[in-house]
Amino acid sequence: MAQVFHRSINWVAKLSILLLLALASLCLAILLNINRLDYVSHVGLAKDQPVPFSHKHHVTGMGIDCRYCHTSVEESAFAGIPPVETCMTCHSLVWTEAPLLEPVRTAWRDEVPLQWTRIHDLPDFVYFRHDIHVAKGVGCTSCHGPVDQMPLMYKENTLNMEWCLECHREPERQIRPRDQVFDVTWSPPADQERAGARLVEEYDVQVSQLTDCSVCHL
């Protein structure tokens, strides 16, 4: 029986297999790295909110401490979204007719909460507590960035697992004195790693356990 395919077709078959393997590797690489793209992680993206709340105005301009609005940050996993009552504590006296604040006044009159859009929203399979990070000397700006300079809130860091692990592997690079946790103007000293290492020991940070899966994934 005559040969149907020319012998050179063998090279075509081998090449097609190599191309399929390369394509599969490329797809796998894209899937593994797609969350690193700012477009996907929404880093730097200010999302629409019911009220264009400016942290820059309230923190830098008015000097309001983080804990005035985020009341549970020191004692629970969730930092807390301020209720309308917190907003109206001031805005029942100032800017009482401002059109931008009408959603706040409406929510107050109707006794319904404002529906804020979450900026920092971790997956449900990630276990995170604000209180333990605050207690161990991790400042707000370490994760949330220069909030005091944000006219509209956006995500400064990806919050991906590899980003979290950078700090968990070397906590001395981020830890600051507890009394500086809420100081948005704090900057690390020249000897941060040495000072941080002392604080790691003082605050009993269990570095050897910080990279265990069970720490964040119960």
Side-chain angles (χ1 to χ4, degrees):
M1 183 177 177
Q3 185 171 339
V4 178
F5 299 104
H6 192 272
R7 292 183 62 183
S8 61
I9 295 299
N10 291 336
W11 291 102
V12 175
K14 293 177 180 178
L15 181 60
S16 64
I17 293 174
L18 290 175
L19 289 175
L20 285 173
L21 290 174
L23 181 61
S25 299
L26 178 61
C27 292
L28 181 61
I30 291 174
L31 288 174
L32 291 175
N33 291 280
I34 194 169
N35 283 335
R36 297 179 179 178
L37 300 176
D38 289 350
Y39 177 80
V40 175
S41 62
H42 295 170
V43 168
L45 176 64
K47 300 181 180 180
D48 290 335
Q49 301 287 359
V51 179
F53 181 87
S54 171
H55 279 83
K56 183 176 182 179
H57 170 70
H58 290 83
V59 177
T60 301
M62 306 300 296
I64 297 177
D65 187 274
C66 305
R67 290 162 290 187
Y68 183 80
C69 296
H70 303 289
T71 55
S72 60
V73 68
E74 295 179 283
E75 56 192 33
S76 72
F78 187 47
I81 297 295
V84 178
E85 180 181 4
T86 301
C87 305
M88 291 301 293
T89 300
C90 295
H91 288 296
S92 61
L93 302 173
V94 297
W95 300 101
T96 57
E97 301 296 330
L100 283 177
L101 298 179
E102 181 55 33
V104 178
R105 294 190 293 269
T106 300
W108 176 251
R109 288 193 300 266
D110 297 344
E111 298 183 353
V112 294
L114 286 168
Q115 298 301 313
W116 298 99
T117 301
R118 290 285 297 271
I119 300 296
H120 301 87
D121 191 11
L122 293 175
D124 292 339
F125 55 80
V126 178
Y127 179 76
F128 178 86
R129 294 193 65 92
H130 277 86
D131 54 352
I132 190 63
H133 287 79
V134 170
K136 299 300 183 180
V138 179
C140 303
T141 55
S142 294
C143 298
H144 297 295
V147 177
D148 58 311
Q149 299 301 317
M150 296 182 184
L152 294 175
M153 190 67 188
Y154 58 84
K155 187 192 292 186
E156 174 75 8
N157 298 296
T158 64
L159 306 187
N160 290 339
M161 185 174 75
E162 64 178 351
W163 178 83
C164 296
L165 283 173
E166 288 179 6
C167 184
H168 277 215
R169 290 183 177 123
E170 298 179 295
E172 67 276 3
R173 299 179 62 183
Q174 292 293 339
I175 286 183
R176 64 180 74 176
R178 286 193 181 115
D179 60 359
Q180 300 296 320
V181 165
F182 299 101
D183 184 357
V184 292
T185 64
W186 184 87
S187 58
D191 63 340
Q192 169 60 28
E193 291 196 17
R194 183 187 304 173
R198 289 197 299 267
L199 293 175
V200 165
E201 183 176 357
E202 180 182 344
Y203 297 161
D204 191 28
V205 178
Q206 303 296 318
V207 181
S208 62
Q209 301 176 19
L210 289 181
T211 54
D212 288 349
C213 299
S214 60
V215 172
C216 301
H217 307 288
L218 295 180

